[in-house]
Amino acid sequence: MKLKKVLIKIAFLAAIAPLDVFAEVTFKARLFSRQKNQGEAKTQVLLFETKKIYRTDAEGYFDAVVPSPGIYTFRILKVEDMQDIKGNVEASGQTVTLYTDAGSDASVGSPKAKAPKGTITVAAERDKPILSRTTIKYEEIKRMPGTFGEPLRALETIPGVVPSAAFGGGANNYVIRGSDPNSNLYLVDDLPILYPFHFDGLSAVVNANLIKSIDVYTGVFPANFNNALGGVIHIDTVDKVDKSQKNLIISAWSSSISYMSPTFGGKGYLIASARVGYLDRFVQGLTSALGADFPEGLRLPRFVDSQVKFVHNFNEHHQVSFHSFYSKDDFAANLPAKYQNDPANDSTAAFAGASISSGQGFRTQALRYTWKPIDTFSNRVTLISYDPFTDFNVSFGSIQGKNRASGAYNGIRQDAFWDPNKYFSAEFGTEYRLLNYYSTGSSIIQSDPNNLSPNPYDTQSPDFTTIPTNITAKGSYYNGYLTTKIRLGNLHIEPGARYDYIPYVNNSALGPRAQASYKFEGIGKGTTIFGGGGNFFRFPLDTRFNKDSGNPHLDFEKVFKYGGGIEQLLEGDYQIKGEIFKQEYSSLIVDDPYITEPIGTNPDPYSRIAQPFIANKKLNYSNSGTGWSRGYELVLRKNSRPGTRNWFGWITYTWSQTFRNNNIFTPDAGAAPLSAQETQIAAEFYKNSKETLYDYDRTHVINMVFGWRWSQEWQFGARWSYLTSRPFTPIVGDDGGRFSNPANGQTYWVPQYANNPALGEYINSRRLKPYHRLDIRFDRFFNYEWGYVNTFLEIVNVYLRENVGGEDFDNTKPYSKTNPSPSPTFGTIPLPGGVIIPFFNVGIEVKF
């Protein structure tokens, strides 16, 4: 009997044992940050194996259920990414702690994790100079108000950088510390691009989701960068892809898609993106919906762009990568000729019958090989094919012509990095380019390029002439650079030099430069003083130095930059930085109507057959320009910390002055006209032009930025900006309406500009009221196991400030008290009935 009872108990236990083993396990888990020493509150967590989503409480806890004990994957759903953390669930009632800090043992995909075997690490963060450099974090700028989701647009808020045109929308380039915006250098992965923004001024040429970080050098920059008088904007794209991602963004005027995926078992990755712009359709649709009229025959800008990057690591020593960047913009206007039309009801009456089309673009392709034989040395070889282009086709009064020009080249570049010990490192490289510049079609030449008011309808002595052109400029270009870094405790010294040589014009430039900094411990996280200076050069990527239509004797443009400052890092991620600077420009290339050579090749290919050479041939350009800029910059910043929801922001202030002088003879107002010979002598010996404020001068610039992600679902941002208006030359009269538009008989009034220093009215002698505006943005996130959906509303110019950019002269009316009038800038939308609303942008972003 006892044996029978024992067998019954064993059978009973055997029956219920599986029920106990496979019963559901209920447990508590907590997301915890060791760095912040607190739980991650209000965060969504996907338990990958069960596909259930949980939400943490204020302390980071949540209750969960799994079918059985085991190791499970907890996916932390973040806005920009998803983090997978492995957790071991052993029994019901257990508390599982999941550490979210990068580099913790439980964290998967952290930056401090070792790279997979066979991966070469070539993108390690090298020491970067502190002087005149600002690094922008992607998470701080992607959703900044007033940027329309473009990280590059956020560069407007750092000291020393302002847009070239209307602040925000409409600006497609940057003025950096008063330099010509066309003298900046824009790089993506150390490869050139022609321009940073499309024609619309709203969209950047690089997809936001591909950007890792942006370095902006506003003053002294390292020797590996070249051909820039202004600043250097260097964009690093994503350099690590752990899992496939897809991203779709649809906004009012453009749509984009991007894709990222690891390849060959994690040995490499592929990233690609494409975008199309349709501002023309958006504006025309909005105008129609508001019951307003859109100018007939006008098509606003369109664009397309794409970026591709493929990286493959053969092993720890060898890597190859392929890069391709493409962009193309165009706009057109074919304005109908309407005889006896009412200019009050036709904003294009003065230009009726004109036909204009314009475009620009670039194609950059590169194949790169990196060899890293040892940890302390790597060498990179890059094959580059770069093809920037511009084109136009115009028929407007005496302005007749079409042209396509390119500053293309093919080249090979070598860059080496040697870091033998903690005291010394060096970067050095060389480059060879085969230049293939060309300009085909016809050239439109203004008789006097310094005339501020040329008349396109002047039939007696036309201000414009058109000559056929078929210009090519082929040749070689060489450069080499060396930068050494010496580290003696807290003292860092960085001397360097660069040499550039162009045989085509037999011109060379040697630019030494140096920087130094010293960090004092004891106050907060440290106090650093820094300073430096050097010579920097630029040669234009166009045909101005061509022997047929330009000046083959042009020199490199030059600027001597120097400055220094102090930076204080405080607890709580606060930073205070101040910097003073000065930049002295010389040999600037300017339009010169007087410079000639005794005998030269006839630029007209038709008359050249009968007369191959002409006397006193115009060279059109000279190196007569000089100038300078000076100022100081202050920054108070609260940096963001990855993985936190604390607020961040900064306040910047820049005071500066910028002056230019073309050093070209200017006839005195009211003086008797000179003969051709007298003019030539005066131009040679009497360079009487005055030093004046530069077109892009802004005396005071203030930016205030605030961002706060207070929950997993909501984010808010605000930005306030203030700028002194740009100087302008006052209009003091008109030409009497001597000519008219033959297409419609409309009298064309040409403004006359002030040029009398004795009366205090001359070039750039006036300013209008300052520019300021407030922008805000709200983001709402919907998180799912496959990714997230982000909807956003962006409001520009919240308090409806009526900002102006300069004077606007209506050529259909004579000069009067109301003509010219202040020209409004981007930021508001006028509705029928006189109602004005802020400019806004709504959109949706989907990330898979």
Side-chain angles (χ1 to χ4, degrees):
M1 185 62 107
K2 290 183 178 181
L3 179 59
K4 184 178 179 179
K5 291 182 178 179
V6 171
L7 292 175
I8 292 173
K9 288 181 179 181
I10 292 174
F12 177 75
L13 292 173
I16 66 173
L19 298 178
D20 182 64
V21 172
F22 293 105
E24 288 187 337
V25 177
T26 302
F27 66 99
K28 183 182 291 289
R30 188 186 192 192
L31 292 185
F32 189 82
S33 170
R34 287 169 170 162
Q35 185 180 21
K36 296 182 290 183
N37 194 30
Q38 65 183 32
E40 300 283 7
K42 309 300 181 182
T43 302
Q44 289 186 324
V45 181
L46 168 68
L47 211 164
F48 191 77
E49 287 75 8
T50 65
K51 306 301 181 185
K52 292 183 178 180
I53 294 179
Y54 303 94
R55 182 182 176 86
T56 63
D57 61 17
E59 300 296 327
Y61 290 99
F62 65 94
D63 295 318
V65 178
V66 293
S68 63
I71 297 177
Y72 290 87
T73 301
F74 297 84
R75 175 163 291 177
I76 315 304
L77 301 177
K78 300 179 179 181
V79 174
E80 302 297 346
D81 203 351
M82 294 175 287
Q83 181 185 11
D84 290 347
I85 302 177
K86 298 291 186 181
N88 186 15
V89 181
E90 297 177 345
S92 293
Q94 176 190 6
T95 298
V96 179
T97 302
L98 306 171
Y99 296 104
T100 60
D101 301 300
S104 64
D105 296 338
S107 179
V108 177
S110 66
K112 295 182 180 180
K114 291 184 178 180
K117 187 177 181 180
T119 299
I120 176 174
T121 305
V122 296
E125 189 77 7
R126 298 188 298 274
D127 289 337
K128 295 180 180 179
I130 188 174
L131 175 64
S132 303
R133 179 187 62 83
T134 301
T135 298
I136 298 292
K137 299 179 181 179
Y138 175 79
E139 61 269 16
E140 292 180 340
I141 60 178
K142 180 180 179 181
R143 296 182 174 88
M144 181 182 292
T147 66
F148 311 107
E150 298 290 357
L152 277 175
R153 191 89 274 159
L155 302 187
E156 300 166 356
T157 66
I158 68 176
V161 180
V162 295
S164 59
F167 186 68
N172 54 18
N173 216 328
Y174 283 128
V175 178
I176 298 181
R177 287 186 174 176
S179 295
D180 186 330
N182 294 316
S183 69
N184 298 327
L185 176 65
Y186 298 96
L187 300 169
V188 180
D189 289 337
D190 215 7
L191 299 170
I193 60 175
L194 180 61
Y195 50 88
F197 295 101
H198 292 290
F199 270 157
D200 63 7
L202 303 172
S203 308
V205 300
V206 180
N207 189 290
N209 291 290
L210 271 58
I211 295 176
K212 175 189 172 185
S213 63
I214 306 174
D215 283 322
V216 183
Y217 297 87
T218 55
V220 177
F221 49 82
N224 57 301
F225 299 130
N226 75 319
N227 218 38
L229 296 185
V232 176
I233 295 178
H234 184 268
I235 303 168
D236 280 315
T237 61
V238 173
D239 60 5
K240 182 180 180 182
V241 179
D242 294 320
K243 57 181 179 293
S244 295
Q245 298 180 24
K246 306 177 188 68
N247 188 279
L248 174 66
I249 301 178
I250 300 175
S251 71
W253 48 77
S254 68
S255 295
S256 68
I257 185 170
S258 62
Y259 173 77
M260 304 183 191
S261 177
T263 58
F264 298 100
K267 281 196 169 185
Y269 59 89
L270 171 69
I271 61 177
S273 70
R275 178 161 52 178
V276 59
Y278 37 81
L279 180 67
D280 57 326
R281 297 179 181 178
F282 167 71
V283 173
Q284 288 180 5
L286 180 62
T287 303
S288 177
L290 297 176
D293 294 326
F294 190 80
E296 184 179 354
L298 176 64
R299 181 176 64 74
L300 293 178
R302 297 175 181 171
F303 71 82
V304 294
D305 66 52
S306 65
Q307 302 89 44
V308 177
K309 178 181 178 182
F310 172 75
V311 176
H312 182 73
N313 299 284
F314 292 98
N315 51 45
E316 294 87 348
H317 307 294
H318 305 279
Q319 180 194 82
V320 294
S321 61
F322 172 76
H323 309 254
S324 178
F325 310 122
Y326 173 78
S327 177
K328 186 177 185 300
D329 293 76
D330 63 77
F331 80 91
N334 189 10
L335 306 178
K338 297 180 180 180
Y339 283 87
Q340 299 178 350
N341 59 332
D342 181 6
N345 298 318
D346 182 4
S347 59
T348 63
F351 314 104
S355 177
I356 303 170
S357 65
S358 179
Q360 65 177 3
F362 62 85
R363 176 190 53 81
T364 305
Q365 293 183 323
L367 182 63
R368 178 170 282 166
Y369 165 66
T370 303
W371 176 52
K372 190 174 183 179
I374 55 178
D375 289 340
T376 59
F377 178 82
S378 66
N379 189 65
R380 188 181 72 186
V381 177
T382 308
L383 299 176
I384 304 174
S385 176
Y386 178 51
D387 184 11
F389 68 88
T390 60
D391 59 55
F392 68 83
N393 190 340
V394 58
S395 175
F396 170 33
S398 61
I399 306 175
Q400 304 284 331
K402 61 180 180 179
N403 182 271
R404 182 180 177 91
S406 171
Y409 68 81
N410 296 314
I412 181 171
R413 176 176 173 177
Q414 169 268 328
D415 301 275
F417 312 95
W418 183 41
D419 192 9
N421 53 56
K422 66 178 182 178
Y423 301 107
F424 176 84
S425 63
E427 300 179 19
F428 53 92
T430 58
E431 183 179 14
Y432 168 77
R433 296 178 185 176
L434 182 62
L435 309 179
N436 184 23
Y437 297 177
Y438 68 85
S439 176
T440 60
S442 55
S443 296
I444 301 171
I445 299 176
Q446 185 178 336
S447 303
D448 182 1
N450 300 304
N451 178 13
L452 298 179
S453 55
N455 190 336
Y457 301 122
D458 187 344
T459 55
Q460 296 180 359
S461 56
D463 290 328
F464 300 92
T465 58
T466 302
I467 61 172
T469 57
N470 186 15
I471 302 169
T472 59
K474 296 185 177 181
S476 301
Y477 165 78
Y478 306 89
N479 71 52
Y481 72 90
L482 169 65
T483 297
T484 57
K485 300 180 180 181
I486 303 170
R487 298 177 287 268
L488 303 173
N490 290 344
L491 175 64
H492 290 192
I493 305 173
E494 187 176 312
R498 181 180 187 90
Y499 178 75
D500 295 87
Y501 174 59
I502 301 179
Y504 184 91
V505 292
N506 194 27
N507 241 318
S508 63
L510 176 62
R513 62 203 66 181
Q515 302 185 50
S517 65
Y518 187 85
K519 185 175 183 179
F520 298 90
E521 307 291 349
I523 302 177
K525 295 182 179 180
T527 305
T528 303
I529 58 173
F530 51 88
N535 290 327
F536 302 85
F537 298 89
R538 174 180 179 266
F539 204 83
L541 295 175
D542 54 37
T543 58
R544 277 181 283 180
F545 59 88
N546 179 264
K547 59 183 176 57
D548 293 326
S549 63
N551 185 350
H553 313 297
L554 289 176
D555 294 327
F556 282 84
E557 296 180 305
K558 178 183 177 182
V559 61
F560 175 48
K561 302 186 177 190
Y562 54 99
I566 184 170
E567 179 185 62
Q568 176 67 58
L569 299 179
L570 301 172
E571 300 295 338
D573 300 314
Y574 287 93
Q575 173 190 14
I576 302 174
K577 184 178 180 180
E579 186 169 335
I580 59 174
F581 66 87
K582 188 171 184 182
Q583 304 182 144
E584 300 173 359
Y585 301 90
S586 58
S587 298
L588 297 178
I589 298 176
V590 298
D591 293 326
D592 192 333
Y594 306 116
I595 187 170
T596 62
E597 60 181 349
I599 299 178
T601 304
N602 191 337
D604 189 333
Y606 299 123
S607 62
R608 186 185 303 165
I609 298 175
Q611 186 181 4
F613 301 98
I614 59 175
N616 294 321
K617 178 195 171 185
K618 287 189 174 183
L619 298 179
N620 299 318
Y621 312 101
S622 69
N623 288 107
S624 298
T626 59
W628 56 272
S629 64
R630 65 180 180 184
Y632 60 87
E633 301 162 350
L634 300 174
V635 179
L636 172 61
R637 181 177 182 133
K638 168 69 164 60
N639 293 296
S640 66
R641 183 180 296 180
T644 70
R645 295 196 188 96
N646 292 331
W647 68 274
F648 67 90
W650 56 86
I651 301 174
T652 67
Y653 171 69
T654 301
W655 178 90
S656 65
Q657 291 181 325
T658 305
F659 289 85
R660 287 289 189 276
N661 190 348
N662 288 345
N663 292 295
I664 290 177
F665 167 68
T666 302
D668 293 329
L674 302 177
S675 66
Q677 185 176 9
E678 290 172 335
T679 301
Q680 190 68 32
I681 296 174
E684 180 71 23
F685 300 103
Y686 187 49
K687 301 181 184 296
N688 63 334
S689 60
K690 301 292 190 293
E691 183 178 78
T692 61
L693 283 170
Y694 191 37
D695 297 343
Y696 301 104
D697 178 81
R698 307 267 194 179
T699 308
H700 304 282
V701 179
I702 305 173
N703 283 287
M704 302 175 67
V705 175
F706 174 81
W708 185 28
R709 177 85 182 280
W710 69 82
S711 74
Q712 197 70 12
E713 289 80 25
W714 289 96
Q715 177 171 312
F716 171 75
R719 181 180 75 164
W720 184 76
S721 300
Y722 175 97
L723 299 91
T724 302
S725 62
R726 285 168 48 177
F728 70 95
T729 305
I731 297 174
V732 295
D734 59 57
D735 69 339
R738 297 184 298 120
F739 300 96
S740 61
N741 182 351
N744 60 356
Q746 173 66 53
T747 300
Y748 189 84
W749 303 84
V750 178
Q752 302 298 303
Y753 291 87
N755 188 23
N756 192 339
L759 299 178
E761 293 187 337
Y762 49 92
I763 295 176
N764 291 344
S765 59
R766 287 190 187 176
R767 298 183 194 265
L768 296 176
K769 61 182 181 181
Y771 184 110
H772 57 84
R773 81 179 200 209
L774 172 67
D775 306 330
I776 61 174
R777 173 168 168 151
F778 295 92
D779 286 86
R780 174 69 167 92
F781 303 94
F782 301 89
N783 298 292
Y784 304 96
E785 61 181 73
W786 46 262
Y788 69 82
V789 175
N790 168 215
T791 59
F792 57 87
L793 170 64
E794 195 168 9
I795 302 176
V796 176
N797 199 2
V798 173
Y799 52 75
L800 298 175
R801 165 78 171 181
E802 293 183 356
N803 289 303
V804 293
E807 283 192 327
D808 185 15
F809 186 83
D810 186 349
N811 296 103
T812 65
K813 302 174 183 178
Y815 172 81
S816 66
K817 291 183 178 180
T818 58
N819 188 33
S821 61
S823 57
T825 64
F826 171 87
T828 57
I829 300 176
L831 301 179
V835 178
I836 298 178
I837 64 173
F839 192 88
F840 64 92
N841 181 30
V842 294
I844 183 170
E845 176 188 7
V846 182
K847 188 170 186 178
F848 303 94

